[in-house]
Amino acid sequence: MKIPALLFLPFDLYGEMLAHVRSVPSEEVCGLLGGRESNALLHFPIENVLHSADAFRMEAQSLVDAIYRMEQHDLILVAVYHSHPHGPGQPSPRDLAENAYPEALYIIWSSHAKSESGWQMCVFQLSSEKYEEVPWELV
């Protein structure tokens, strides 16, 4: 499957992710977006069982449930997201090494004082050695 060159993100899903990021600003939060091709349609916030500020691991049953729900709706995994509360606005070496879904885009939310929301979102295509920023558009 080809990774989308552009992510179309509904405004309500953007708001749901931002609310999730803001709900636990001292930890990396994480989740999935399901959709079709480059269009995100469903948001699945998932607990970070590490409760860490610099790493995440999705709670296993919630991850399985989200993938199953996507399959029920004939959707694919469009993107994986997580936050970097104290880190950079791009993938870390750990993000590259632990890239479990190479067919999906990766969204990183980083703390950004100049942003009205206090957070900035960037979208990336990852490989084990590098990353490339991908444009996105609110719809």
Side-chain angles (χ1 to χ4, degrees):
M1 176 190 328
K2 187 175 186 230
I3 297 176
L6 172 66
L7 175 65
F8 294 103
L9 182 62
F11 190 77
D12 60 331
L13 295 189
Y14 175 88
E16 289 172 14
M17 282 192 296
L18 179 57
H20 187 207
V21 167
R22 287 175 155 173
S23 72
V24 191
S26 61
E27 296 179 9
E28 286 196 8
V29 300
C30 51
L32 306 176
L33 296 179
R36 293 194 176 92
E37 297 176 4
S38 58
N39 298 294
L41 300 171
L42 287 177
H43 170 231
F44 301 94
I46 299 178
E47 178 187 0
N48 175 0
V49 296
L50 298 179
H51 299 286
S52 167
D54 59 6
F56 75 95
R57 181 171 304 128
M58 293 187 189
E59 192 276 320
Q61 188 60 54
S62 297
L63 177 61
V64 169
D65 292 346
I67 298 292
Y68 179 71
R69 190 158 162 226
M70 282 184 233
E71 289 176 355
Q72 285 181 310
H73 293 280
D74 198 28
L75 302 176
I76 61 168
L77 175 60
V78 172
V80 174
Y81 76 88
H82 71 282
S83 61
H84 283 176
H86 308 294
Q90 69 267 354
S92 67
R94 183 181 195 141
D95 293 334
L96 296 175
E98 295 180 359
N99 176 10
Y101 301 98
E103 73 281 4
L105 294 172
Y106 275 72
I107 296 172
I108 296 182
W109 289 86
S110 58
S111 179
H112 194 274
K114 293 181 181 176
S115 169
E116 184 178 317
S117 70
W119 293 89
Q120 179 178 1
M121 187 188 104
C122 292
V123 181
F124 300 93
Q125 178 181 349
L126 304 185
S127 72
S128 59
E129 304 89 30
K130 62 181 181 166
Y131 60 88
E132 182 177 328
E133 192 162 359
V134 173
W136 59 281
E137 184 177 312
L138 284 176
V139 292

